[in-house]
């Protein structure tokens, strides 16, 4: 049993369990110590992941687990996102009695997202989705005494339960058709002409994964979670599962030959997702909810790369880079929200630039990056997306994305305008130092990923997708 | 090197303007000094045969030379400007006098540049500068908005003509690759046609010919000295001069002669009539200016540029003289209406000088102007005898209004009690009168010989019937004028005549046909721009939000209407029904299930 | 007892389950619908295992996975329902409409 | 050298943003930092080799940014870029020096201005398409904040409209750039390579679409009718210096981009649609002039004249692009277009600064509410009259040099269009004279009795601009030589 | 039509009918027991399909689960004993349509799809092979499933337990206030939430 191949996951798991035990023995006022503990665990996992970068891409655990560029990079992004959201947490949950367990759940959620990225077996996929979902519900509902939070949690759950049921159904049908759940064998058996049942099974699985990706038609939980969940958790939930799911989806669709017109399906989902997300965000006066909608639309952009997967060598690197840029920018935005003690009403943001220039700068940077203003990370990500999409002959998709980008600019500016142009009415209280540190880090990444994009990009271009 | 002739006054103008000089004496002296020096420069340049070349870039080459005709003009401009400026220094109000003087110098400089130009661009530059100066001079008294309006009217009207010059330059370059006058000869026939049309257009507008004439009345809002200079040697003269300078080229186009003559005669008659009906001294003179430049057009059109030139010179002197004296009378009467004037007894010198000018205007021998007018008649006669008769008629008209002006302004009248004329004014006026008298030398055959030799042409000899005819017409004209002045001194001040007195209603027509529709058009465009063009943009942006709502409503029916039908949909609160994210989990579930089906359908469709 | 027969029975169960999921207001009843769906799925899985996969162990594992999914979701679901009930006194989907638009 | 030209103000902006000083010090600090690029560019100008056979782009520097995508920090100038960039630098110094109402936020105000200067110069100086886009977008960001924060009236809305509208254009440009660049192998954003091997030759449909993208994008920025309606509100609500920069510098990015990218890199396709562009240009000329004529708002009026003048530029470019035109004429047209960019930058810059002066004194742009100012504000009157006459193309001033060449050049390619466009200068004359009349002539309204004349700083700033306008009008050789060295190459001459 | 077939059909009938009745009964407790019945029937079908282990496992697991569910009803669902009739549904027609549609589609496809016919050899020891699979090829999956179950337990404890080591577990489980001593940001739930309108 090649334990070495899952060292990162193991370290995350072990630290999760450790935290759980520690939390049940630590005194209440020491609970925050779990945060540094979690950071240590994530750092170790990160180190192991980096170590894996060197190795040649391979399938282990008899084809269940992929160690390729895609999964490794995705897991790195997930780990970073998790670490940053951990930084946001301790001050936020200070007075929560179950402070310590939070980190355990978060770690397990991280594990689930990582497993999503690496799964090359349909059953493994199911379990990964399940793990990240069940932890996700918990994180979303973590403010057990706060109506919005639990409401977000149960809505997340209801959508998730059906999605998983459909996923399981799809997988079972797949098994019935091909008598296997292993990607490698699937790829070899899907070649001979697809039956109608295959199409049904395929679309069921797609919906199941789309739920994790917060893509239409299973996107409905995203705005609720973004608004209701604790902002640190929302930051995590809008990023980590999405990253994993994007890779999982890419892996899955890549198995199927052209006589299943999956490109048009993915393209449709992409357009629907980015449009619905943008239209939803357009009228929002609630910043957290707006961020939720905007991250729906961002999934749509990511799907562009999946649409053209295999048509252009840059598709996969573009996807990874875009996910990375999205992750840092989105984290920065949620970080600012957290640091402002969950301030969410648009009007409450008036004059932020005067009250807290640095936070305002971070917010501006993250929003501009989400729009794709150069030379920020988001720009390079979008540029790569557009390049690969157009290169693969899907220029019309790029045009749709372009229009959506313009629309998105409007609602980002609707926030930035009061932030910068108005004067503050009341003093704006902030949370604490670690959240501030997280914000600064994210802003820094947002800038540097754009300015110094080359090393990352060059490494990403080597990334591979198995099988 | 020849550039100096034009650049010196321009530069001097800037210096004077920058200088702290504010009192009359200093300004007058310096201005006159500048003009004198310019005059000397011109003479010297003429003797030395200076030329000038200058280039902005390879295609943009400029050249200035002195031809026989341009020498005459180049001398004439400062000679006339000298007394006018001296007069201005004492006559005009002290406020802004410094600006007035420097503008006058600028005016002269620009005119000189135009005169010595040997390529279309230099010409264009001088041409437009003259226009701009005229704007500043007409609107000189800034506290009156009406003056500025008149200045604008004049400038826009003349710039409309300038476009002709632009076109000419464009044609010349597109065909020959250069702008030099020399190259114009080589143009192809069609290009030449356009070019000549352009030149004629700009000349007509500058020289206040029909239909551009009305601007010259608006120009009367400027100070008297400005009018004097503007009508005699600069602005208005430019048009006629252009035709004289380029006549050999122009004449190569068959239709040029008739057209020029047509414009000229039309203006001569219309202007003469207008002037005769005009009770306003300056406007009377202004109309007569148009008329006389019309005569010059006729001469050029008939192929006698030299004749036109000589007439231009003569006209310059007496017209400047008349304006100056009109200015004195106007100041004393505190109005330019002839009925208020009549200072023959108190200002005898001015009066007699004015008489000289007036007779010259009327074309009474032995004054030089009479000869030049005679030459015009002859030239026209060479083209066709009937033309000669019409020109005589124009002459009669000019005699008539000349008489009216002299008699009313400086005749013996009731309000002829007290009036003063400043010495410098008197000197300026009388010097000009002397010049008018001196021009009587035109009649001497020897002088005519030398002139013809100098201008490389020979003057036509008038057949006797023409001489007699014109003498008779002049006589009858004088009589008519006297009649008007005595019997109907206020003719044209009011009543139906006054309408005709303003260019026979031409400005009214222009206002109705051009100005109003144009401003209306502008307004409509602005409205359209805001309402439609920007409107579309606003719609699009609003459409975004609208699309959001519609999308929600549509999808909401899917998530909600579909399940339970409209009734159920109505059961939800209005806000919910407007948004797709109803907040009701089972809608999300339904939507997801439906979505899975849709995906499958797409897959099936795609096979 | 043919595969088709088994699958049709499964289909019936899935259909009923979906109906329950979409139609029930009470969270608990809704989850019963989900259970029923998964029940059908499980039947189908075993059917496949036994009649098309020639006893390939993966089939059994799949069935177990389905069972796991069922269990996990039940557990999480009940926990959430409890939490909601405590904080909102809500037990039906219509009870939670604060988060919308 | 060019790198420093961009980096110094950029770093200066950040440095300024992090300091705590007194209000006036910021102004002079920013002014001195902002004038460094001007000095450097003048030095570049002096050293610029215009002899025949000299390489088109000089002072080239190149560092990799994303080599995998062929993106790099590439800088270099030809005659056009050099002249336009230098004008922009000068205008920025003027705008910074201009006394502005910073509402207690001097630090950010001047920091944004330096930032804007850096990125705007970047647009003109870069030789890398990706970098071009980067700077192009950043300029929008900078101006968005300047207008929104220090503008007046409904500044926020105007700022957002401006940003969204022009951002849409720039995204169109982005797509076009990608479509263009993807035809190169290996992938590169290097302008010189793209100019050299005209990547889209032979791909008609794709070339057309790419061209359309560029035309829309730059058309919005320039702006041409009917894509111009973002301009008036942006101008009206922007502070004087900002709109001076907007009109003087940012609008040039559109036309400069047209020359630099589609004209140079899509030669054939661009030529095929040159006539359509020329028609568009004439429409812009007449429409801009007409609509401007009907405006009673000082700033709107001048804003619309910008539409008119940029129409001239477009006409020149279109004429220069046409196949079959006389080379000399096409070169003249293109030179004229470039000179018009410079001239319009200076003239309109001056005019908008003057507008700023009006607003600071009265907070009112309505022409109806003015009159007779020449009696109490002679200096203001002087400068305004000069600038207006320059704008209506009076000989001896900069505008004439440009428009003459445009008309003459365009005429031998499109006689009728050029002749029609001539009407533009007539209407412009009318509207400017009317504006002058309403502002300065006639009786002085009582409520304007306390109108201050220009202060010393304002006089100096305007004097420099106007002096330059006059010099260009009388002796433009120093300007025409470098421009011609570039246009000669661009129009296939020596 | 041998006895196995008969048995199958009987079980199938039980599964389906009881499944259907789940949503027609008035008491949730009854509903849960009906569901259990359906599960048991399915489990027995599994036994018929040579999967005794799975069958039995299902039966037991579901038995337990349904007990839990029943407990829930009794704990705090309204109307546990179903004394008065209960019909709480929404989007009813759509749901029926959806159910029928899915059934029809699946059935149709099942009939047209060509499944490879490869029945299991009755003689193999299915349990042993399953064990080998779990600890062999599919070990990672199995392990992950275990982790998932762990996570689920943690999650349900966190969410549902009323009190913890430090007293009431929920106290303080709210966002920090926007201003010290103030309310957390975000909208407040409408008052009417609770046993919301039940439409029929």
């Amino acid at each position: 049993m090649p334990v070495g191949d899952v060292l990162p996951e193991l370290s995350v798991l072990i630290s999760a369990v450790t935290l759980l035990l520690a939390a049940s023995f630590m005194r209440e006022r020491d609970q925050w110590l779990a945060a540094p503990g979690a950071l240590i665990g994530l750092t170790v996992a990160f180190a192991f992941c980096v170590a894996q970068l060197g190795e040649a891409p391979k399938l282990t655990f008899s084809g269940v687990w992929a160690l390729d560029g895609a999964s490794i990079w995705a897991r790195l992004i997930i780990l970073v996102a998790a670490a940053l959201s951990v930084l946001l947490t301790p001050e936020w949950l200070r007075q929560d009695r179950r402070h310590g367990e939070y980190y355990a759940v978060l770690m397990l959620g991280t594990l689930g997202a990582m497993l999503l990225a690496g799964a090359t077996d349909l059953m493994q996929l199911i379990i990964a989705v399940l793990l990240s979902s069940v932890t996700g519900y918990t994180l979303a509902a973590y403010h057990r005494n706060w109506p919005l939070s639990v409401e977000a949690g149960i809505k997340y759950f209801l959508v998730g339960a059906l999605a998983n049921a459909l996923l399981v159904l799809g997988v079972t049908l797949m098994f019935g058709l091909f008598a296997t759940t292993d990607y490698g064998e699937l790829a070899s058996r899907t070649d001979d002409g697809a039956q109608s049942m295959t199409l049904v099974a395929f679309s069921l699985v797609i919906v199941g994964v789309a739920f994790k990706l917060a893509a239409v038609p299973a996107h409905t939980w995203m705005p609720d979670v973004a608004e209701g969940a604790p902002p640190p958790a929302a930051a995590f939930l809008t990023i980590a599962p999405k990253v994993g799911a994007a890779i999982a989806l890419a892996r899955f669709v890549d198995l199927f030959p052209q006589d299943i017109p999956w490109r048009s399906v993915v393209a449709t989902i992409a357009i629907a997702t980015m449009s619905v997300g943008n239209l939803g965000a357009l009228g929002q006066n609630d910043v957290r909810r707006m961020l939720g909608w905007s991250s729906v639309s961002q999934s749509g952009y990511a799907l562009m790369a999946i649409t053209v997967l295999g048509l252009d060598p840059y598709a996969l690197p573009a996807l990874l880079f875009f996910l990375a840029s999205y992750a840092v920018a989105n984290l920065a935005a949620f970080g600012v929200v957290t640091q402002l003690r969950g301030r969410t009403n648009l009007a409450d943001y008036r004059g932020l630039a005067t009250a807290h220039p640095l936070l305002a700068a971070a917010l501006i940077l993250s929003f501009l990056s989400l729009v794709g203003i150069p030379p920020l990370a988001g720009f390079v990500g979008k540029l790569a997306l557009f390049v690969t999409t157009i290169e693969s002959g899907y220029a019309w998709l790029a045009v749709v994305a372009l229009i959506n980008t313009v629309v998105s600019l409007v609602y980002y500016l609707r926030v930035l305008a009061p932030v910068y142009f108005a004067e503050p009415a009341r003093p704006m209280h902030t949370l604490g130092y670690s959240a501030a540190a997280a914000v600064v880090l994210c802003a820094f990444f947002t800038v540097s990923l754009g300015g110094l994009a080359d090393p990352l990009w060059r490494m990403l271009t080597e990334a591979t997708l198995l099988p | 090197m020849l550039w100096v002739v034009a650049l010196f006054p321009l530069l001097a103008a800037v210096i004077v303007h920058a200088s702290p000089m504010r009192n009359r004496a200093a300004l007058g002296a310096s201005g006159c000094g500048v003009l004198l020096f310019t005059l000397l420069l011109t003479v010297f340049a003429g003797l030395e045969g200076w030329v000038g070349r200058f280039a902005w870039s390879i295609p943009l080459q400029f050249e200035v030379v002195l031809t026989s005709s341009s020498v005459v003009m180049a001398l004439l401009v400062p000679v006339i400007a000298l007394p006018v400026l001296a007069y201005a220094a004492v006559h005009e109000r002290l406020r802004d006098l410094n600006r007035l003087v420097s503008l006058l110098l600028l005016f002269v400089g620009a005119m000189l540049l135009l005169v010595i130009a040997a390529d279309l661009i230099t010409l264009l530059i001088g041409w437009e500068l003259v226009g701009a100066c005229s704007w500043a001079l007409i609107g000189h008294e800034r506290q009156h908005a009406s003056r500025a309006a008149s200045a604008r009217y004049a400038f826009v009207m003349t710039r409309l003509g300038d476009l002709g010059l632009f076109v000419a330059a464009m044609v010349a370059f597109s065909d020959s690759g250069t702008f030099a006058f020399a190259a114009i000869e080589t143009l192809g026939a069609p290009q030449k046609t356009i070019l000549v049309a352009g030149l004629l257009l700009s000349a007509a507008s500058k020289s206040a010919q029909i239909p551009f004439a009305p601007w010259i009345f608006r120009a009367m809002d400027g100070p008297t000295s400005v009018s004097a200079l503007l009508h005699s040697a600069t602005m208005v003269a430019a048009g006629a001069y252009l035709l004289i300078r380029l006549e050999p080229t122009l004449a190569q186009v068959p239709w040029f002669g008739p057209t020029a003559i047509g414009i000229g005669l039309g203006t001569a008659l219309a202007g003469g009539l207008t002037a005769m009906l005009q009770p306003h001294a300056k406007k009377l003179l202004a109309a007569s200016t148009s008329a006389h430049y019309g005569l010059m057009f006729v001469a050029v059109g008939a192929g006698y540029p030299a004749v036109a030139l000589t007439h231009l010179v003569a006209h310059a002197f007496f017209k400047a003289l008349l304006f100056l004296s009109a200015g004195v009378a106007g100041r004393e009467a505190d109005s330019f209406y002839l009925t208020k004037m009549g200072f023959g007894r108190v200002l005898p010198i001015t009066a007699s000088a004015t008489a000289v000018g007036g007779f010259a205007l009327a074309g009474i021998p032995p004054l030089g102007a009479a000869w030049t007018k005679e030459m015009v008649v002859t030239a026209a006669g060479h083209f066709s005898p009937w033309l000669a008769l019409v020109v005589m008629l124009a002459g009669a008209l000019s005699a008539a209004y000349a008489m009216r002006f002299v008699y009313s302004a400086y005749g013996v009248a009731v309000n002829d009690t007290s009036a003063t004329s400043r010495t410098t004014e008197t000197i300026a006026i009388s010097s000009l009168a002397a010049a008018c008298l001196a021009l009587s030398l035109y009649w001497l055959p020897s002088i005519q010989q030398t002139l013809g030799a100098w201008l490389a042409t020979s003057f036509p000899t008038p057949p006797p019937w023409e001489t007699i005819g014109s003498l008779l017409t002049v006589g009858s004209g004088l009589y008519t004028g006297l009649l008007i002045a005595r019997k109907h001194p206020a003719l044209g001040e009011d009543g139906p005549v006054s309408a005709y007195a303003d260019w026979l209603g031409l400005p009214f027509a222009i206002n109705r046909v051009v100005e109003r529709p144009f401003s209306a058009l502008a307004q409509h465009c602005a409205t359209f721009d805001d309402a439609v063009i920007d409107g579309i943009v606003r719609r699009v942006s609003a459409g975004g939000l609208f699309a959001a709502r519609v999308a929600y409503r549509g999808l909401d029916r899917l998530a909600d209407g579909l399940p339970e039908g409209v009734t159920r949909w109505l059961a939800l609160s209005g806000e919910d029904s407007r948004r797709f994210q109803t907040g009701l989990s089972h809608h999300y579930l339904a939507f997801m299930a439906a979505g899975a089906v849709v995906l499958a359908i797409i897959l099936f469709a795609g096979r | 007892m043919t595969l088709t027969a088994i699958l049709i029975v499964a289909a019936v169960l899935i259909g009923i389950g979906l109906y329950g999921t979409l139609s029930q207001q009470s969270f608990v009843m809704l989850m019963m619908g989900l259970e029923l769906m998964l029940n059908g799925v499980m039947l189908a899985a075993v059917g496949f295992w036994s009649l098309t996969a020639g006893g390939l162990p993966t089939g059994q594992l799949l069935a177990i996975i389905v069972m796991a999914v069922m269990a996990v979701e039940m557990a999480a679901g009940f926990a959430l329902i409890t939490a909601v009930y405590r904080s909102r006194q809500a037990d039906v989907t219509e009870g939670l409409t604060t988060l919308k638009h | 050298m060019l790198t420093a030209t961009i980096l110094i103000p950029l770093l200066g902006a950040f440095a300024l943003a992090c300091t705590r000083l007194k209000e006036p010090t910021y102004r002079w600090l920013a002014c001195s930092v902002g004038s460094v690029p001007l000095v450097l560019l003048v030095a570049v100008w002096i050293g610029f080799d215009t002899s025949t056979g000299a390489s088109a782009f000089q002072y080239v520097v190149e560092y990799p940014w994303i080599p995998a995508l062929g993106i790099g920090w590439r800088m270099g100038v030809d005659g056009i870029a050099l002249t336009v960039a230098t004008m922009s630098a000068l205008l920025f110094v003027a705008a910074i020096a201009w006394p502005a109402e910073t509402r207690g936020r001097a630090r950010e105000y001047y920091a944004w201005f330096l930032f804007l200067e850096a990125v705007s110069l970047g647009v003109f100086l870069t030789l890398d398409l990706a970098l071009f886009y980067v700077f192009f977008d950043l300029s929008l960001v900078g101006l968005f904040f300047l207008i929104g924060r220090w503008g007046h009236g409904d500044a926020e809305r105007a700022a957002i409209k401006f940003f969204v509208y022009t951002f849409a254009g720039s995204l169109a440009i982005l797509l076009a750039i990608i479509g263009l660049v993807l035809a190169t192998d290996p992938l590169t954003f290097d302008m010189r390579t793209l100019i050299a091997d005209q990547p889209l030759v032979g791909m008609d449909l794709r070339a057309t679409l790419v061209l359309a993208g560029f035309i829309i994008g730059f058309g919005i920025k320039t702006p041409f009718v009917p894509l111009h309606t973002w301009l008036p509100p942006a101008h009206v609500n922007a502070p004087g210096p900002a709109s001076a920069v907007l009109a003087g510098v940012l609008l040039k990015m559109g036309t400069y981009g047209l020359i630099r990218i589609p004209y140079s890199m899509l030669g054939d396709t661009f030529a095929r649609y040159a006539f359509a562009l020329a028609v568009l240009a004439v429409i812009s000329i007449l429409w801009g002039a007409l609509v401007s004529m009907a405006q009673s708002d000082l700033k709107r009026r001048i804003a619309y004249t910008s539409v008119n003048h940029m129409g001239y530029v477009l006409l020149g470019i279109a004429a220069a692009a046409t196949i079959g035109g006389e080379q000399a004429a096409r070169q003249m047209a293109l030179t004229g277009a470039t000179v018009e960019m410079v001239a319009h930058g200076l003239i309109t810059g001056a005019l908008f600064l003057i507008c700023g002066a009006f607003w600071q004194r009265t907070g009112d742009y309505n022409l109806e509410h003015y009159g007779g100012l020449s009696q109490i504000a002679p200096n203001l009157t002087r400068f305004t009259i000069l600038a207006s006459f320059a704008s209506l193309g009076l000989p001896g001033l900069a505008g004439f040099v440009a428009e003459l060449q445009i008309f003459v050049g365009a005429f031998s390619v499109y006689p009728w269009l050029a002749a029609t466009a001539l009407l533009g200068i007539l209407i412009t004359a009318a509207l400017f004279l009317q504006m002058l009349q309403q502002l300065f002539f006639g009786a002085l309204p009582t409520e304007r009795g306390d109108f201050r004349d220009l202060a010393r700083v304002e006089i100096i700033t305007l004097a420099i601009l106007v002096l330059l306008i006059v010099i260009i009008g009388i002796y433009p050789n120093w300007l025409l030589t470098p421009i011609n060295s570039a246009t000669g190459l661009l129009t296939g001459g020596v | 039509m041998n006895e196995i077939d008969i048995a199958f059909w009987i079980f199938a009938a039980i599964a389906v009918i009881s499944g259907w009745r789940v949503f027609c009964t008035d008491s949730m407790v009854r509903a849960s027991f009906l569901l259990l019945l359906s599960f048991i029937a399915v489990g027995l079908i599994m036994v018929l399909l040579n999967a005794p282990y799975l069958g039995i496992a299902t039966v037991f697991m579901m038995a337990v689960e349904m007990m839990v569910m029943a407990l829930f009803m009794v704990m705090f669902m309204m109307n546990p004993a179903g004394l008065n009739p209960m019909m709480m549904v929404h989007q009813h027609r759509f749901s029926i349509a959806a159910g029928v549609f899915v059934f029809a589609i699946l059935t149709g496809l099942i009939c047209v799809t060509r499944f490879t016919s490869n029945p299991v050899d009755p003689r193999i020891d299915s349990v042993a092979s399953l064990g080998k699979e779990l600890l062999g090829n599919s070990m990672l999956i199995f392990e992950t499933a275990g982790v998932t179950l762990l996570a689920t337990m943690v999650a349900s404890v966190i969410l549902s337990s009323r009190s913890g080591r430090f007293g009431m577990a929920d106290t303080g489980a709210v966002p920090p206030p926007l201003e010290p001593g103030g309310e957390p940001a975000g909208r407040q739930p409408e008052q009417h939430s609770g046993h919301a309108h039940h439409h029929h």
Side-chain angles (χ1 to χ4, degrees), chain B residues 134-502:
Chain B
S134 74
W135 174 81
L137 286 166
I138 296 169
H140 176 68
E141 289 167 8
R142 290 178 169 171
Q143 65 276 33
H144 306 298
S146 63
R147 307 270 163 104
S150 306
R152 184 169 105 240
Y153 191 94
F155 183 79
V156 174
M157 190 74 103
T158 48
R159 192 165 211 209
L160 176 60
D162 300 0
L163 299 189
L165 215 49
F166 267 98
V167 171
M170 281 145 69
V171 176
F173 183 85
S174 68
D175 197 40
S176 69
T178 135
F179 300 101
F181 285 164
I184 296 176
E185 303 289 341
T186 67
L187 293 185
Q191 284 85 352
K192 201 170 282 182
T193 316
I194 304 173
L195 178 116
V196 171
L199 292 179
L200 195 55
L201 171 70
S202 44
S205 74
K206 265 273 191 288
S207 290
Q209 300 298 297
I210 300 286
F212 306 101
W215 72 260
I216 205 163
F217 273 11
R218 305 294 295 269
M220 287 303 106
D221 282 0
T224 310
S225 49
V226 172
S227 318
L229 192 59
L230 190 132
H231 286 248
S232 56
T234 49
M235 183 86 174
V236 187
Y241 168 74
L242 177 61
L243 296 189
I244 295 165
R245 175 80 167 75
L246 295 178
E247 192 274 343
T249 318
L250 303 173
Q252 294 170 5
V253 179
W255 51 263
F256 166 72
T259 322
I261 294 177
I263 297 175
L265 270 184
T267 316
L269 295 176
L273 210 53
T274 312
M276 195 169 71
L277 303 175
Q278 195 40 262
H280 184 285
K282 282 175 76 178
K283 288 189 174 173
L284 182 151
L285 293 174
S288 85
T289 312
S290 291
H292 276 265
Y293 281 99
L295 292 181
M296 296 173 211
F297 270 53
V298 172
V300 178
Y304 290 93
V307 171
L309 186 61
T310 46
H311 190 58
L312 195 158
V313 173
H315 172 267
F317 282 103
F318 66 69
K319 189 51 67 73
L321 159 58
L322 290 175
F323 264 113
L324 295 188
S325 55
V328 175
R331 182 189 63 222
E332 298 305 322
D334 194 19
S335 153
F336 279 108
Y337 279 97
L338 292 167
T339 47
K340 306 275 188 306
M341 298 181 179
F343 305 109
R345 200 181 297 113
V346 283
L347 300 174
I349 310 167
T350 322
S352 41
T354 314
V356 175
F359 293 147
L361 175 59
I364 297 170
L367 288 166
W371 181 74
T372 53
K373 199 210 79 192
E374 208 48 45
M375 285 295 108
V376 176
V377 174
T378 323
H382 275 242
F383 198 85
S384 106
W386 297 107
L387 239 55
L389 291 178
V390 186
V391 176
M392 288 179 201
L393 178 56
L397 284 170
S398 79
Y401 55 70
M403 192 63 202
R404 183 183 180 189
F405 174 77
V406 174
Y407 187 87
S408 326
Y410 283 97
V412 182
V414 284
N415 48 10
D416 182 5
T417 55
S418 75
T420 59
S421 157
R422 292 164 193 159
T423 336
T424 325
E425 295 174 344
T426 324
I427 296 169
I429 292 173
S430 39
S431 60
L432 283 167
C436 286
L437 290 170
L439 278 181
S440 312
L441 297 172
Y442 268 153
W443 289 97
L444 299 183
S446 55
I447 300 291
Q448 297 176 12
Q449 301 302 328
T450 41
L451 253 178
W454 164 250
L455 294 173
T457 61
S458 61
F459 294 99
T461 46
W465 68 270
E466 285 186 356
T467 325
I468 303 156
S470 51
L471 283 177
L472 287 176
T473 48
V474 169
S476 53
L478 287 173
Y479 179 68
T480 329
L482 198 58
L483 227 57
I484 293 173
R486 295 179 77 102
K487 296 278 186 297
H488 313 288
L491 176 66
E493 274 187 34
D494 47 16
V497 185
S498 63
Y500 295 103
D502 189 3

Side-chain angles (χ1 to χ4, degrees), chain B residues 592-602, chain E residues 101-102:
Chain B
M592 200 196 312
V597 174
V598 171
L599 292 189
I601 289 170
I602 294 171
Chain E
F101 176 79
V102 165

